[in-house]
Amino acid sequence: MGTLMNAVTGLLSVFFIFASSIKLFGWQKMIFEKQLAFFHSYGFNRQFMFLVGLAELFGAIAIWFQGSLLGVLGALALAGTSLGAIVCHLRFDTWKDGIPAMVTLLLSSMVVYFSSSLL
């Protein structure tokens, strides 16, 4: 199970470092503008998007501390942001827009489950 969890952790970490860096710094213009448009359509502003980016960055780094409370908190942060994205997509968009968040929720939930059993 260790190799699988390392692969899942690596995948989540890379994905959320990429996603958070766009939310925090806006360096990828096309993706940033699409994400900001989603946030605006949900009634959220740029500052809220920045806070979500911070939560994602925290989770993407903390998730590597498996077997500790910090690792569980990191995975929970990623699960929380994924769940929030799913709720927003289902309420305001189509379920298809929420598919990436559904996958990251499933993966981060796996990490929470297996990490919390190590505590």
Side-chain angles (χ1 to χ4, degrees):
M1 192 57 78
T3 304
L4 175 62
M5 290 292 33
N6 286 340
V8 170
T9 298
L11 180 67
L12 285 169
S13 189
V14 167
F15 176 81
F16 278 104
I17 286 173
F18 177 73
S20 68
S21 70
I22 293 171
K23 287 179 183 76
L24 295 172
F25 306 114
W27 64 271
Q28 216 302 332
K29 204 107 175 114
M30 184 186 72
I31 297 172
F32 174 80
E33 288 173 359
K34 183 172 181 169
Q35 286 184 346
L36 187 57
F38 274 131
F39 274 81
H40 284 158
S41 72
Y42 308 149
F44 300 124
N45 59 21
R46 171 71 179 108
Q47 289 76 21
F48 186 79
M49 184 173 154
F50 188 85
L51 289 175
V52 170
L54 287 177
E56 290 175 345
L57 182 60
F58 165 77
I61 294 169
I63 198 172
W64 283 101
F65 295 93
Q66 292 180 16
S68 73
L69 181 59
L70 187 59
V72 174
L73 291 175
L76 284 170
L78 298 182
T81 58
S82 298
L83 185 59
I86 292 168
V87 169
C88 287
H89 285 304
L90 291 177
R91 183 160 183 222
F92 298 103
D93 304 316
T94 68
W95 68 272
K96 292 177 187 174
D97 292 318
I99 290 174
M102 292 174 197
V103 172
T104 58
L105 176 61
L106 176 68
L107 295 176
S108 57
S109 296
M110 281 177 43
V111 174
V112 168
Y113 177 77
F114 288 110
S115 293
S116 62
S117 67
L118 297 174
L119 295 180

